[in-house]
Amino acid sequence: AQSVTQLGSHVSVSEGALVLLRCNYSSSVPPYLFWYVQYPNQGLQLLLKYTSAATLVKGINGFEAEFKKSETSFHLTKPSAHMSDAAEYFCAVSDISNFGNEKLTFGTGTRLTIIP
Amino acid sequence: KAGVTQTPRYLIKTRGQQVTLSCSPISGHRSVSWYQQTPGQGLQFLFEYFSETQRNKGNFPGRFSGRQFSNSRSEMNVSTLELGDSALYLCASSLSQLWGYTFGSGTRLTVV
């Protein structure tokens, strides 16, 4: 069974500082990986996805993530934090070895706070 | 183009009642999935439908059921509501895993 671990349920960074949110996955085969953001009282918005093409993936709002198979990681970064980045972030994995097994397994989420 | 639409946005129900939630996917998306989000359990997969067939089911009791119509719209039903069913229920639609999943804003269900 696949799983996702997000280290740090809360992360605080100063405005303008580097944002680093950690995600490690467990899967028997290279999976598809996703980062989603959730603002209060809203659904999930896709930030970026890895689907076995380029290992460095660029997403919306200046975020990017690098797939590292040797480390089973897919950490999310942004060079300079903005106040509007304050939200909860979820890493998710999808098993592509099973056709029709279209479901996401989510991590527990990381709440990002931006300090002015 | 229109996103994933979930109705209603908010619901308050009494224990023992049943509830039906609706999800209209993005036009052309045939896969619709449902997730439950709670502070304690996080985001958990309920079930996924594709072309009116349930392809995948999560680990929830039989009180949770769903269906998909020929226009890809989906409904989920929870019978005999319990306090623990209070949650944000999210619907997502997709063309395929390769393209990712687009989520709706969710239905917040409160059971009293």
Side-chain angles (χ1 to χ4, degrees):
Chain A
Q2 53 195 353
S3 64
V4 170
T5 301
Q6 290 185 242
L7 290 174
S9 58
H10 291 86
V11 170
S12 295
V13 301
S14 297
E15 190 176 14
L18 172 72
V19 175
L20 171 61
L21 304 183
R22 300 178 187 274
C23 172
N24 287 88
Y25 69 91
S26 172
S27 178
S28 56
V29 296
Y32 288 171
L33 292 158
F34 306 83
W35 275 100
Y36 282 89
V37 61
Q38 185 176 35
Y39 298 99
N41 297 316
Q42 293 190 26
L44 302 174
Q45 181 182 10
L46 180 65
L47 278 176
L48 48 79
K49 62 182 187 287
Y50 168 76
T51 55
S52 71
T55 56
L56 182 61
V57 181
K58 294 188 184 298
I60 62 172
N61 301 339
F63 285 95
E64 63 181 38
E66 186 171 7
F67 173 74
K68 292 187 177 180
K69 184 179 177 182
S70 61
E71 298 176 10
T72 60
S73 69
F74 190 57
H75 301 331
L76 181 71
T77 60
K78 181 174 180 178
S80 177
H82 192 273
M83 294 301 293
S84 60
D85 295 328
E88 188 145 23
Y89 292 79
F90 293 93
C91 182
V93 62
S94 179
D95 181 3
I96 64 171
S97 65
N98 227 346
F99 177 74
N101 187 17
E102 301 259 347
K103 73 171 191 177
L104 290 171
T105 301
F106 285 90
T108 51
T110 297
R111 185 169 299 279
L112 176 64
T113 300
I114 310 298
I115 303 166
Chain B
K1 60 182 176 181
V4 177
T5 303
Q6 291 188 247
T7 56
R9 285 296 309 276
Y10 301 92
L11 264 179
I12 300 176
K13 290 286 187 178
T14 304
R15 264 185 307 176
Q17 287 186 313
Q18 75 165 14
V19 67
T20 299
L21 313 182
S22 179
C23 173
S24 294
I26 290 173
S27 178
H29 287 192
R30 292 161 67 189
S31 170
V32 175
S33 306
W34 289 88
Y35 292 82
Q36 181 196 63
Q37 185 177 26
T38 60
Q41 299 298 317
L43 282 152
Q44 293 187 287
F45 172 76
L46 280 157
F47 26 66
E48 186 248 350
Y49 287 87
F50 183 87
S51 293
E52 303 179 65
T53 301
Q54 186 182 86
R55 285 200 302 192
N56 207 352
K57 189 176 190 306
N59 190 25
F60 278 81
R63 300 185 296 107
F64 291 81
S65 63
R67 58 178 176 169
Q68 186 180 33
F69 302 95
S70 58
N71 61 358
S72 292
R73 190 177 71 85
S74 177
E75 289 181 348
M76 68 164 281
N77 184 278
V78 188
S79 63
T80 319
L81 284 166
E82 300 177 359
L83 295 178
D85 297 333
S86 295
L88 180 66
Y89 290 88
L90 293 165
C91 167
S93 76
S94 74
L95 284 171
S96 75
Q97 296 177 79
L98 181 65
W99 297 103
Y101 304 81
T102 302
F103 283 79
S105 297
T107 294
R108 184 164 296 282
L109 171 65
T110 302
V111 182
V112 297

